[in-house]
Amino acid sequence: MTKATHSGAKTGRPSPRRDHLVQVATGLFCKEGFHATGIDRVLAEAGVAKMTLYKHFASKDELIAACLADVHVGVEAAIEAVLADSGPGPADRALAIVVWHAEQAASRGFDGCPFHHARAEYADPDHPAHRAACEHKDWVRGQLAALLGEAGHPDAENGAFELELVVEGALAAGALRASPDITSTALRLARRVLGSAG
């Protein structure tokens, strides 16, 4: 999924090293797993010293939380851009969110949804990674529910849940295989949810 970097060292000042570290860690965590990727592996790949890591993050868990926060920011920005280019109607915009996720899932090199990985590896609901995953999914569903409400859907919350199932199914399928059919199938299913033709 789309990633973004943003400053956020403990001092609040911009830090290119922090951004680079988070970007590298995010790639490794998504590809190799959170538990399986050790701090030394991240440091070696990023080319930074352990002192740099602990200047910005108190623990590996804090680094993981920062990585998921960056992914979320990237998804927000990507969806904002997609909505700006989508049709003017709220139903069109809801479809655009579904299609964006499906296109990510269908792309080559897609390593699966990082929030799926985080939720699977950290079952404790109090773990920062687990919370970040749930909050992100709640945010996506909230965006869909708001758009369906604007579109006059008779049950916006349930409709958003159905669209969320389409999104999550596309992401899960994309983790197994890269196929353009993921996007076309997701679009067809989403249109059925919205009661649209085709």
Side-chain angles (χ1 to χ4, degrees):
M1 297 181 76
T2 297
K3 297 187 287 291
T5 57
H6 61 279
S7 61
K10 291 178 182 178
T11 61
R13 293 191 297 270
S15 171
R17 284 189 177 183
R18 177 198 180 277
D19 289 344
H20 175 64
L21 182 60
V22 169
Q23 187 173 35
V24 169
T26 300
L28 290 172
F29 289 147
C30 290
K31 190 175 184 65
E32 301 176 9
F34 293 99
H35 288 308
T37 305
I39 287 298
D40 289 342
R41 172 88 169 90
V42 173
L43 295 177
E45 191 72 18
V48 300
K50 189 168 289 189
M51 182 184 302
T52 300
L53 170 70
Y54 290 113
K55 175 183 177 183
H56 299 289
F57 306 104
S59 64
K60 180 182 177 182
D61 282 353
E62 195 171 299
L63 173 60
I64 289 171
C67 290
L68 292 173
D70 261 29
V71 175
H72 175 76
V73 168
V75 171
E76 277 195 84
I79 287 179
E80 285 179 10
V82 165
L83 294 182
D85 291 334
S86 69
D92 294 325
R93 301 175 79 204
L95 282 175
I97 291 176
V98 174
V99 169
W100 179 83
H101 281 91
E103 287 175 344
Q104 298 296 304
S107 63
R108 293 196 178 279
F110 179 69
D111 293 316
C113 173
F115 300 102
H116 286 182
H117 297 327
R119 174 63 180 81
E121 291 198 43
Y122 297 97
D124 180 358
D126 291 327
H127 192 281
H130 186 110
R131 289 200 307 270
C134 291
E135 288 168 3
H136 173 77
K137 298 301 182 180
D138 288 346
W139 178 83
V140 174
R141 187 172 62 256
Q143 297 295 303
L144 292 169
L147 289 169
L148 292 188
E150 288 180 38
H153 193 286
D155 188 349
E157 290 296 328
N158 189 59
F161 177 64
E162 291 176 344
L163 289 180
E164 182 185 28
L165 290 182
V166 176
V167 166
E168 297 306 320
L171 293 172
L176 299 175
R177 66 186 67 80
S179 168
D181 289 343
I182 292 174
T183 302
S184 59
T185 301
L187 179 57
R188 186 169 63 253
L189 293 173
R191 281 176 171 161
R192 288 180 186 172
V193 171
L194 294 172
S196 300

